[in-house]
Amino acid sequence: MTEWLCLLLPVAAASGWWAARHARSGCAAQGTVPDAAFLRGLNYLLDQRPDKAIDVFLRLAEVDGETVEIHLALGSLFRRRGEVERAIRIHQNLVARPGLDREQRGFALYELAQDYMRAGLFDRAESLLQELTEIEPEGRRALKALIEIYQQEKDWTNALNAAERLQGLTGRPMAAEIAQYRCELAEEALRAGDPEQAGECLREAQAAHPQCVRALMLQARIELGHGDAAAALALCRRVAEQGPQFIPDVLPKFIDALGRCPGTDLEAELRRLYASHPSPALATALADAIEAAAGPAAARDFLVSHLAEHADLTALERLLELQSADEGGCPETVQRVVSRLRARQSAYQCDQCGFVARRLHWQCPSCKHWGTIKATQPGSMDPSLDSPPTPPGA
Ligand SMILES: [Zn+2]
């Protein structure tokens, strides 16, 4: 059924062009030679011989100046069917034709750039799209496509420039994306051993998008590197306020900073966070803090109370470790089974498309949204409170 539909789409496109052309000419008697050629091309499409059909339609283009629409329709349909080489051939032929007006040429160049992107020929696509950024109305679409390419190539400087141009053209806020590109540049600077440059990028990220928790987390990392634990602690607290879903990701820096700040109370801080945003990472960190302050029995009591409400394998694994230390504790086999089950759990999930991951990605590899992948939360021990799992790709 699907194959038939795919076959009929180009046929429908060609037929639509033929009908429109005859409506314009006003009679069926004109142009009998192109009509015969057109029917031959149509037959090739129906016989599933698309290359023969393309040959006919391209020859038709040489004697008939009204075939821009059919070229665009067929090229687009071939690309959607995954037949990119055929789409490229059609669109290349079209842009090489003299006599196209500015709008038609812009549209055809954009379609050809899409073909190149689909074929993975990013250099060629980028070159065409850069040309198109100067041509309205294709400029906006070209900038969006360029951003897609630069993101794929991790060329954050060009992605940033294109996003700022697009924001200026459309007025659509792109502050969240711009801040993420600046964070990517900050990470590059950190990898190159230049924390000052990284700090500058993060200040610009914060200026562009004050809600960007990633910039706060990176700045906390820099402050810890400089030995300024108080500044790092203040930044971690801001992450917890602005993006509580990211508390599990900032927790190691939070605990590090608290440990270096005199007069702070690690257990009290973790209890405060846990009360409002319980998570597997917080539960185990709090259990560790309780064990250090009051001994393993108190840590076990806390974990039991946590597990009474949360189906949390990470906390269960920690509880079994504490119990195994006692005589007659949990059998090792049970611990190993729980560890295996926990290791197979997906730790992160995209709240836009349901993509699951083992680590935090700031840009979802599936839907390409920024900041939508977050640590997964364990289900409730009350089945009536559980939300159904989000299917991948939903
Ligand atoms: Zn996603």
Side-chain angles (χ1 to χ4, degrees), residues 280-302:
L282 258 177
T284 50
L286 181 50
D288 291 346
I290 292 170
E291 185 188 11
R300 279 200 303 270
D301 288 346
F302 162 71

Side-chain angles (χ1 to χ4, degrees), residues 350-355 364-369 372-373:
C350 175
D351 60 18
Q352 287 287 316
C353 72
F355 178 84
C364 174
S366 176
C367 70
K368 310 298 179 194
H369 280 91
T372 53
I373 291 189

Side-chain angles (χ1 to χ4, degrees), residues 145-264:
L146 275 172
I147 289 171
E148 202 179 310
I149 290 175
Y150 293 140
Q151 287 186 160
Q152 197 146 335
E153 293 179 333
K154 300 191 185 307
D155 181 347
W156 306 115
T157 302
N158 275 323
L160 177 63
N161 293 337
E164 286 179 337
R165 280 184 69 188
L166 184 59
Q167 184 175 248
L169 267 178
T170 62
R172 183 175 81 82
M174 295 196 66
E177 290 87 347
I178 286 169
Q180 290 285 353
Y181 302 149
R182 292 203 182 277
C183 287
E184 292 287 351
L185 290 169
E187 294 224 38
E188 282 182 2
L190 284 174
R191 282 194 292 273
D194 190 348
E196 280 70 31
Q197 176 62 29
E200 182 58 31
C201 293
L202 295 175
R203 275 187 289 281
E204 288 171 334
Q206 278 279 291
H209 191 231
Q211 293 78 34
C212 180
V213 292
R214 183 183 183 186
L216 297 173
M217 288 165 70
L218 284 169
Q219 191 63 43
R221 177 171 145 197
I222 293 173
E223 299 300 350
L224 280 173
H226 287 157
D228 191 343
L233 181 57
L235 288 159
C236 291
R237 284 176 173 149
R238 283 180 60 194
V239 171
E241 286 170 17
Q242 291 184 204
Q245 303 101 322
F246 295 99
I247 290 174
D249 303 288
V250 81
L251 202 50
K253 292 183 189 67
F254 206 155
I255 293 170
D256 187 2
L258 278 166
R260 298 199 224 169
C261 286
T264 56

Side-chain angles (χ1 to χ4, degrees), residues 43 262 265:
N43 272 328
D265 184 336

Side-chain angles (χ1 to χ4, degrees), residues 20-97:
R21 181 175 177 279
H22 276 253
R24 279 195 296 273
S25 66
C27 70
Q30 285 184 351
T32 52
V33 173
D35 285 352
F38 171 80
L39 290 172
R40 197 162 64 250
L42 207 56
N43 272 328
Y44 282 134
L45 279 179
L46 288 166
D47 285 345
Q48 301 198 46
R49 297 166 73 187
D51 287 318
K52 284 278 190 187
I54 291 171
D55 285 339
V56 170
F57 288 128
L58 293 185
R59 276 200 299 276
L60 199 58
E62 294 167 7
V63 294
D64 189 328
E66 296 183 345
T67 54
V68 174
E69 294 91 343
I70 192 173
H71 277 71
L72 290 170
L74 284 174
S76 170
L77 287 165
F78 278 125
R79 184 176 67 242
R80 271 186 256 167
R81 287 173 52 171
E83 299 172 53
V84 185
E85 287 184 13
R86 292 189 176 113
I88 289 175
R89 191 177 160 210
I90 288 174
H91 289 135
Q92 279 179 333
N93 177 276
L94 189 58
V95 298
R97 283 171 60 180

